[in-house]
Amino acid sequence: MIREDDTLDPLLAMLERFVKERLIPNEHRVADEDAIPPDIIMEMRGLGLFGLSTPVEYGGIGLNMSQEVQVAFVLGQTSPAFRSLIGTNNGIGSQGIILDGTEEQKSKYLPRLASGEIVGAFALTEPNAGSDASSLRTTARRDGDVYVLNGTKRFITNAPEAGLFTVMARTNPDEKGAGGISAFLVEAGTPGLHIGPADRKMGQKGTHTADVLFEDCRVPATQLLGGVEGQGFKTAMKVLDRGRLHIAAVCVGVSERLIRESLRYAMEREQFGKPIAEFQLIQAMLADSRMEAYAARCMVLDAALRRDQGQNISTEASCCKLFASEMVGRVADRAVQIFGGAGYIADYGIERFYRDVRLFRLYEGTSQIQQLVIARNMMREAS
């Protein structure tokens, strides 16, 4: 694990250069081609970006939560597509294995995920199970030394590229709640596993989602995560806590990029004989955005530190995800307004960010789910 600032700071400086010199110049290309150039993917692998949060003993860099969110602040300064490709390997695609996997599972998959040899995906959402994840219908029936999986997963990030899926399936049909759900590690290419066409999305071009279908997909019993049935939903919730904090940090990074672009444009664009930044109504929008981004950054850093100290941050993670994802939407809206007509034109990239950030309020728990988590935790603590 990186422990000293003199080690973390060079990492952040390297990432800032990479974002500025390689990623930002390729944003329009990624949006136009709906794909990240292969040479950039290779550079990301070479820089170790697929293994930022993987423990050192399994080939990763071993960042703790406080360090990871600082990296996310930097990666958030460019198109979300770049972060999304490596995000599953650092988050929901690997954390279940790190937290609850057997030693054999960790040794088999974590080094490959950390190097970027394979891309991980987290298959929880279904056509009829989104916010109510405990109602999922995908089944896993034990048949000797294998489990037979049947069902459909929806909106699975990186599904077209993934080499390994962490799949939530119901192993106990008599248990209708979360207790009947187990997690499985299913490799791409397993007979019976099929990937649907890539979804056509509102934004985040270059990030691919698709349906994942299981039709009598036979998975060895050794692929049951942790070797224990009925623990899958608990694993998913632990993984999502960390993921929500990471997404909140990305929202901070995007908002800071948008504020910087808005300020630059406002100081250059002249109307009525002076820069529009001198008009108080423009200043008010800039100030509100700066205030909210600063508040979100402070929230994320505080929650990350609490997690590193071993505290339960379920409430704090939801607070961060809720506030930061709603905040970046407001910042993006103000950016379009400050740019005026130019903000609606694709050449400037502002309208792209406006569409991209809308997704942050939906995945890894909608804003409404975060509100429910926060309120229910408050009531539980009070009683």
Side-chain angles (χ1 to χ4, degrees), residues 190-254:
T190 301
L193 185 158
H194 308 284
I195 308 300
D199 299 318
R200 298 176 61 188
K201 307 189 305 300
M202 173 182 177
Q204 296 216 13
K205 299 293 185 182
T207 299
H208 303 139
T209 65
D211 283 2
V212 181
L213 294 81
F214 299 92
E215 298 178 339
D216 290 332
C217 181
R218 299 177 69 83
V219 179
T222 54
Q223 299 297 95
L224 173 66
L225 184 62
V228 180
E229 289 189 2
Q231 298 298 310
F233 192 78
K234 294 179 181 178
T235 296
M237 292 304 100
K238 287 188 286 186
V239 167
L240 287 175
D241 271 351
R242 184 182 185 118
R244 288 166 178 171
L245 197 52
H246 178 95
I247 293 299
V250 173
C251 290
V252 171
V254 175

Coordinates of all heavy atoms in Angstrom, one line a residue, residues 190-254:
T190 N -17.7 -18.9 -21.4 CA -18.3 -20.0 -20.8 C -19.6 -20.4 -21.6 O -20.4 -19.5 -21.9 CB -18.7 -19.8 -19.3 OG1 -17.6 -19.4 -18.6 CG2 -19.4 -21.0 -18.7
P191 N -19.7 -21.7 -22.0 CA -20.9 -22.0 -22.8 C -22.2 -21.7 -22.0 O -22.3 -21.9 -20.8 CB -20.8 -23.6 -22.9 CG -19.3 -23.8 -22.9 CD -18.8 -22.8 -21.9
G192 N -23.1 -21.1 -22.7 CA -24.4 -20.6 -22.1 C -24.4 -19.2 -21.7 O -25.4 -18.7 -21.3
L193 N -23.2 -18.5 -21.8 CA -23.2 -17.1 -21.5 C -23.2 -16.3 -22.8 O -22.3 -16.6 -23.7 CB -21.9 -16.8 -20.7 CG -21.7 -15.3 -20.2 CD1 -20.8 -15.3 -19.0 CD2 -21.2 -14.4 -21.3
H194 N -24.1 -15.4 -23.0 CA -24.2 -14.7 -24.2 C -24.3 -13.2 -23.9 O -24.9 -12.7 -22.9 CB -25.5 -15.1 -25.0 CG -25.6 -16.5 -25.2 ND1 -24.9 -17.2 -26.1 CD2 -26.4 -17.5 -24.5 CE1 -25.2 -18.5 -26.1 NE2 -26.1 -18.7 -25.1
I195 N -23.6 -12.4 -24.7 CA -23.7 -10.9 -24.6 C -24.6 -10.3 -25.7 O -24.4 -10.6 -26.9 CB -22.2 -10.3 -24.7 CG1 -21.3 -11.0 -23.8 CG2 -22.3 -8.8 -24.5 CD1 -21.6 -10.9 -22.3
G196 N -25.5 -9.5 -25.3 CA -26.4 -8.8 -26.2 C -25.7 -7.7 -26.9 O -24.6 -7.3 -26.6
P197 N -26.4 -7.1 -27.9 CA -25.9 -5.9 -28.6 C -25.6 -4.7 -27.6 O -26.3 -4.6 -26.6 CB -27.0 -5.5 -29.6 CG -27.8 -6.7 -29.7 CD -27.8 -7.4 -28.4
A198 N -24.6 -3.9 -27.9 CA -24.3 -2.8 -27.0 C -25.5 -1.8 -27.0 O -26.1 -1.6 -28.0 CB -23.0 -2.1 -27.5
D199 N -25.8 -1.3 -25.8 CA -26.9 -0.4 -25.7 C -26.6 1.0 -26.4 O -25.4 1.4 -26.4 CB -27.2 -0.1 -24.2 CG -27.6 -1.4 -23.5 OD1 -28.4 -2.2 -24.1 OD2 -27.1 -1.6 -22.3
R200 N -27.6 1.6 -27.0 CA -27.5 2.9 -27.5 C -27.9 3.9 -26.4 O -29.0 4.0 -26.0 CB -28.3 3.1 -28.7 CG -28.0 2.2 -29.9 CD -28.9 2.3 -31.1 NE -28.9 3.7 -31.6 CZ -29.8 4.1 -32.5 NH1 -30.7 3.3 -33.0 NH2 -29.7 5.4 -33.0
K201 N -26.9 4.7 -25.9 CA -27.1 5.5 -24.7 C -27.2 7.0 -25.0 O -26.7 7.4 -26.1 CB -26.0 5.2 -23.7 CG -25.7 3.7 -23.4 CD -24.7 3.6 -22.2 CE -23.4 4.3 -22.5 NZ -22.7 3.8 -23.7
M202 N -27.7 7.7 -24.0 CA -27.8 9.1 -24.1 C -26.5 9.8 -24.1 O -26.3 10.8 -24.8 CB -28.7 9.6 -22.9 CG -28.8 11.1 -22.7 SD -29.7 11.5 -21.2 CE -29.6 13.2 -21.2
G203 N -25.6 9.3 -23.4 CA -24.2 9.9 -23.3 C -23.2 8.8 -22.9 O -23.4 7.6 -23.1
Q204 N -22.0 9.3 -22.5 CA -20.9 8.4 -22.1 C -20.5 7.5 -23.3 O -20.4 6.2 -23.1 CB -21.2 7.6 -20.8 CG -21.4 8.5 -19.6 CD -20.8 8.0 -18.3 OE1 -20.1 7.0 -18.3 NE2 -21.1 8.6 -17.2
K205 N -20.4 8.0 -24.5 CA -19.9 7.3 -25.6 C -18.5 6.8 -25.3 O -17.7 7.5 -24.6 CB -19.8 8.1 -26.8 CG -21.2 8.7 -27.3 CD -22.1 7.6 -27.7 CE -23.4 8.1 -28.3 NZ -24.4 7.0 -28.7
G206 N -18.2 5.6 -25.7 CA -16.9 4.9 -25.4 C -17.0 4.0 -24.2 O -16.1 3.2 -24.0
T207 N -18.1 4.2 -23.4 CA -18.4 3.3 -22.3 C -19.5 2.4 -22.8 O -20.6 2.8 -23.3 CB -18.9 4.0 -21.1 OG1 -17.9 4.9 -20.7 CG2 -19.3 3.1 -20.0
H208 N -19.3 1.1 -22.8 CA -20.3 0.1 -23.4 C -21.1 -0.6 -22.3 O -20.5 -1.1 -21.3 CB -19.6 -0.8 -24.3 CG -18.9 -0.1 -25.4 ND1 -17.6 -0.5 -25.8 CD2 -19.2 1.0 -26.1 CE1 -17.2 0.3 -26.8 NE2 -18.1 1.2 -27.0
T209 N -22.4 -0.7 -22.5 CA -23.2 -1.6 -21.6 C -24.0 -2.5 -22.5 O -24.3 -2.2 -23.7 CB -24.2 -0.7 -20.7 OG1 -25.1 0.0 -21.6 CG2 -23.4 0.3 -19.9
A210 N -24.4 -3.6 -22.0 CA -25.2 -4.6 -22.7 C -25.9 -5.6 -21.8 O -25.5 -5.7 -20.6 CB -24.3 -5.3 -23.7
D211 N -26.9 -6.3 -22.3 CA -27.5 -7.4 -21.6 C -26.5 -8.6 -21.6 O -25.7 -8.8 -22.5 CB -28.7 -7.9 -22.3 CG -29.9 -6.9 -22.1 OD1 -29.8 -5.9 -21.4 OD2 -31.0 -7.3 -22.6
V212 N -26.6 -9.3 -20.5 CA -25.8 -10.6 -20.3 C -26.8 -11.7 -20.1 O -27.5 -11.6 -19.1 CB -24.7 -10.5 -19.2 CG1 -24.0 -11.8 -19.1 CG2 -23.8 -9.3 -19.4
L213 N -26.8 -12.6 -20.9 CA -27.8 -13.7 -20.8 C -27.2 -15.0 -20.4 O -26.1 -15.4 -20.9 CB -28.5 -13.9 -22.1 CG -29.4 -12.8 -22.6 CD1 -28.6 -11.7 -23.3 CD2 -30.5 -13.3 -23.6
F214 N -27.8 -15.8 -19.5 CA -27.4 -17.1 -19.1 C -28.4 -18.1 -19.5 O -29.6 -18.0 -19.0 CB -27.1 -17.1 -17.6 CG -26.1 -16.1 -17.2 CD1 -26.4 -14.8 -16.8 CD2 -24.7 -16.4 -17.1 CE1 -25.5 -13.9 -16.4 CE2 -23.8 -15.5 -16.8 CZ -24.1 -14.2 -16.4
E215 N -28.0 -19.1 -20.3 CA -28.9 -20.1 -20.7 C -28.3 -21.5 -20.4 O -27.4 -21.9 -21.1 CB -29.2 -20.0 -22.2 CG -29.9 -18.7 -22.6 CD -30.2 -18.5 -24.1 OE1 -29.5 -19.2 -24.9 OE2 -31.0 -17.7 -24.5
D216 N -28.7 -22.1 -19.3 CA -28.1 -23.3 -18.8 C -26.6 -23.2 -18.8 O -25.9 -24.1 -19.3 CB -28.6 -24.5 -19.7 CG -30.0 -24.8 -19.5 OD1 -30.6 -24.6 -18.4 OD2 -30.7 -25.3 -20.5
C217 N -26.1 -22.1 -18.3 CA -24.7 -21.8 -18.2 C -24.1 -22.6 -17.0 O -24.5 -22.3 -15.9 CB -24.5 -20.3 -18.0 SG -22.7 -19.8 -18.0
R218 N -23.3 -23.6 -17.3 CA -22.7 -24.4 -16.3 C -21.4 -23.9 -15.8 O -20.4 -23.8 -16.5 CB -22.5 -25.9 -16.9 CG -23.8 -26.5 -17.3 CD -23.6 -27.8 -17.9 NE -23.2 -28.8 -17.0 CZ -24.1 -29.5 -16.2 NH1 -25.4 -29.2 -16.2 NH2 -23.7 -30.4 -15.3
V219 N -21.4 -23.5 -14.5 CA -20.3 -22.9 -13.8 C -19.8 -23.8 -12.7 O -20.6 -24.2 -11.9 CB -20.7 -21.5 -13.2 CG1 -19.6 -20.8 -12.5 CG2 -21.3 -20.6 -14.3
P220 N -18.5 -24.1 -12.7 CA -17.9 -25.0 -11.7 C -18.2 -24.4 -10.3 O -18.2 -23.2 -10.0 CB -16.4 -25.0 -11.9 CG -16.3 -24.6 -13.4 CD -17.5 -23.7 -13.7
A221 N -18.5 -25.3 -9.3 CA -18.8 -24.9 -8.0 C -17.7 -24.1 -7.3 O -17.9 -23.3 -6.4 CB -19.2 -26.1 -7.1
T222 N -16.5 -24.3 -7.8 CA -15.3 -23.6 -7.3 C -15.4 -22.1 -7.6 O -14.7 -21.3 -7.1 CB -14.0 -24.1 -7.9 OG1 -14.1 -24.1 -9.3 CG2 -13.7 -25.5 -7.4
Q223 N -16.3 -21.7 -8.5 CA -16.5 -20.3 -8.9 C -17.5 -19.6 -8.1 O -17.8 -18.4 -8.3 CB -16.9 -20.2 -10.4 CG -15.9 -20.8 -11.4 CD -14.6 -20.0 -11.4 OE1 -13.7 -20.4 -10.7 NE2 -14.5 -18.9 -12.1
L224 N -18.1 -20.3 -7.1 CA -19.0 -19.6 -6.1 C -18.1 -18.7 -5.3 O -17.2 -19.1 -4.6 CB -19.7 -20.7 -5.2 CG -20.5 -20.2 -4.0 CD1 -21.7 -19.4 -4.5 CD2 -20.9 -21.3 -3.1
L225 N -18.4 -17.4 -5.3 CA -17.5 -16.4 -4.6 C -17.5 -16.7 -3.1 O -18.5 -16.8 -2.4 CB -18.1 -15.0 -4.9 CG -17.2 -13.9 -4.3 CD1 -15.8 -13.9 -4.9 CD2 -17.9 -12.5 -4.5
G226 N -16.3 -16.9 -2.6 CA -16.1 -17.2 -1.2 C -16.4 -18.6 -0.8 O -16.2 -19.0 0.3
G227 N -16.9 -19.4 -1.8 CA -17.3 -20.8 -1.5 C -18.5 -20.9 -0.6 O -18.7 -22.0 0.0
V228 N -19.3 -19.9 -0.4 CA -20.4 -19.9 0.5 C -21.6 -19.4 -0.2 O -21.6 -18.3 -0.8 CB -20.1 -19.0 1.8 CG1 -21.3 -19.1 2.7 CG2 -18.8 -19.5 2.5
E229 N -22.7 -20.1 -0.1 CA -24.0 -19.7 -0.6 C -24.6 -18.6 0.3 O -24.4 -18.6 1.5 CB -25.0 -20.9 -0.8 CG -24.6 -21.8 -1.9 CD -25.7 -22.8 -2.2 OE1 -26.8 -22.7 -1.6 OE2 -25.5 -23.7 -3.1
G230 N -25.5 -17.8 -0.3 CA -26.3 -16.9 0.5 C -25.6 -15.6 0.9 O -26.2 -14.8 1.6
Q231 N -24.3 -15.4 0.5 CA -23.6 -14.2 0.9 C -23.5 -13.2 -0.2 O -22.9 -12.1 0.0 CB -22.2 -14.6 1.3 CG -22.1 -15.6 2.5 CD -22.7 -15.0 3.7 OE1 -22.3 -13.8 4.1 NE2 -23.6 -15.7 4.4
G232 N -24.1 -13.5 -1.4 CA -23.9 -12.6 -2.6 C -24.4 -11.2 -2.4 O -23.7 -10.2 -2.8
F233 N -25.6 -11.1 -1.8 CA -26.2 -9.7 -1.7 C -25.4 -8.9 -0.7 O -25.2 -7.7 -0.9 CB -27.6 -9.8 -1.2 CG -28.3 -8.5 -1.3 CD1 -28.8 -8.0 -2.6 CD2 -28.6 -7.7 -0.2 CE1 -29.5 -6.8 -2.7 CE2 -29.3 -6.5 -0.3 CZ -29.7 -6.1 -1.5
K234 N -24.9 -9.5 0.4 CA -24.1 -8.8 1.3 C -22.8 -8.3 0.7 O -22.3 -7.2 0.9 CB -23.8 -9.7 2.5 CG -25.0 -10.1 3.4 CD -24.6 -11.0 4.5 CE -25.8 -11.4 5.4 NZ -25.4 -12.3 6.5
T235 N -22.2 -9.2 -0.2 CA -21.0 -8.8 -0.9 C -21.3 -7.6 -1.8 O -20.5 -6.6 -1.8 CB -20.4 -10.0 -1.7 OG1 -20.0 -11.0 -0.9 CG2 -19.3 -9.5 -2.6
A236 N -22.4 -7.7 -2.5 CA -22.8 -6.6 -3.4 C -22.9 -5.3 -2.7 O -22.5 -4.2 -3.2 CB -24.1 -6.9 -4.1
M237 N -23.5 -5.3 -1.5 CA -23.7 -4.1 -0.8 C -22.4 -3.5 -0.3 O -22.2 -2.3 -0.3 CB -24.7 -4.3 0.4 CG -26.1 -4.6 0.0 SD -26.9 -3.3 -1.1 CE -26.7 -4.1 -2.7
K238 N -21.5 -4.4 0.2 CA -20.2 -3.9 0.6 C -19.4 -3.3 -0.6 O -18.7 -2.2 -0.4 CB -19.4 -5.0 1.2 CG -19.9 -5.5 2.6 CD -18.9 -6.5 3.2 CE -19.0 -7.8 2.6 NZ -18.2 -8.8 3.3
V239 N -19.5 -3.9 -1.7 CA -18.9 -3.4 -2.9 C -19.4 -2.0 -3.3 O -18.7 -1.1 -3.7 CB -19.0 -4.4 -4.1 CG1 -18.6 -3.8 -5.4 CG2 -18.1 -5.6 -3.8
L240 N -20.8 -1.9 -3.3 CA -21.4 -0.7 -3.7 C -21.1 0.5 -2.8 O -21.0 1.6 -3.2 CB -22.9 -0.9 -3.8 CG -23.4 -1.7 -5.0 CD1 -24.9 -2.0 -4.9 CD2 -23.0 -1.1 -6.3
D241 N -20.9 0.2 -1.5 CA -20.5 1.3 -0.6 C -19.2 2.0 -1.1 O -19.1 3.2 -1.2 CB -20.2 0.8 0.8 CG -21.5 0.8 1.6 OD1 -22.5 1.4 1.2 OD2 -21.5 0.3 2.8
R242 N -18.2 1.2 -1.4 CA -16.9 1.7 -1.9 C -17.2 2.4 -3.3 O -16.6 3.5 -3.6 CB -15.9 0.6 -2.0 CG -14.5 1.2 -2.5 CD -13.5 0.1 -2.6 NE -12.2 0.7 -2.9 CZ -11.1 0.6 -2.1 NH1 -11.2 -0.1 -1.0 NH2 -9.9 1.1 -2.5
G243 N -17.9 1.7 -4.2 CA -18.2 2.2 -5.5 C -18.9 3.6 -5.5 O -18.6 4.5 -6.3
R244 N -19.8 3.7 -4.6 CA -20.6 5.0 -4.5 C -19.6 6.1 -4.1 O -19.8 7.3 -4.6 CB -21.7 4.9 -3.5 CG -22.8 4.0 -4.0 CD -23.8 3.6 -2.9 NE -24.9 2.8 -3.6 CZ -25.8 2.1 -2.9 NH1 -25.8 2.1 -1.6 NH2 -26.8 1.5 -3.5
L245 N -18.7 5.9 -3.2 CA -17.7 6.9 -2.8 C -16.8 7.2 -4.0 O -16.5 8.4 -4.2 CB -16.9 6.4 -1.6 CG -16.2 7.5 -0.8 CD1 -17.1 8.6 -0.4 CD2 -15.6 6.8 0.4
H246 N -16.4 6.2 -4.7 CA -15.6 6.5 -5.9 C -16.3 7.3 -6.9 O -15.7 8.3 -7.5 CB -15.2 5.1 -6.5 CG -14.3 5.2 -7.7 ND1 -13.0 5.2 -7.7 CD2 -14.7 5.4 -9.1 CE1 -12.5 5.3 -8.9 NE2 -13.5 5.4 -9.8
I247 N -17.6 7.0 -7.2 CA -18.4 7.8 -8.2 C -18.5 9.2 -7.7 O -18.5 10.1 -8.5 CB -19.7 7.1 -8.4 CG1 -19.6 5.8 -9.1 CG2 -20.6 8.0 -9.2 CD1 -19.0 5.8 -10.5
A248 N -18.7 9.4 -6.4 CA -18.8 10.8 -5.9 C -17.6 11.5 -6.2 O -17.6 12.7 -6.6 CB -19.1 10.7 -4.4
A249 N -16.4 10.9 -6.0 CA -15.1 11.6 -6.3 C -15.0 11.9 -7.8 O -14.5 13.0 -8.1 CB -14.0 10.7 -5.9
V250 N -15.4 11.0 -8.6 CA -15.4 11.3 -10.1 C -16.3 12.5 -10.4 O -15.9 13.4 -11.2 CB -15.9 10.1 -10.9 CG1 -16.0 10.4 -12.4 CG2 -14.9 8.9 -10.7
C251 N -17.5 12.6 -9.8 CA -18.3 13.7 -10.0 C -17.7 15.0 -9.6 O -17.8 16.1 -10.2 CB -19.6 13.6 -9.1 SG -20.7 12.3 -9.7
V252 N -16.9 15.0 -8.5 CA -16.1 16.2 -8.1 C -15.1 16.6 -9.2 O -15.0 17.8 -9.6 CB -15.4 15.9 -6.8 CG1 -14.4 17.1 -6.5 CG2 -16.4 15.7 -5.6
G253 N -14.4 15.6 -9.7 CA -13.4 15.9 -10.8 C -14.1 16.5 -12.0 O -13.6 17.5 -12.6
V254 N -15.2 15.9 -12.4 CA -15.9 16.4 -13.6 C -16.4 17.9 -13.4 O -16.2 18.7 -14.2 CB -17.1 15.6 -14.0 CG1 -17.9 16.2 -15.1 CG2 -16.6 14.2 -14.4

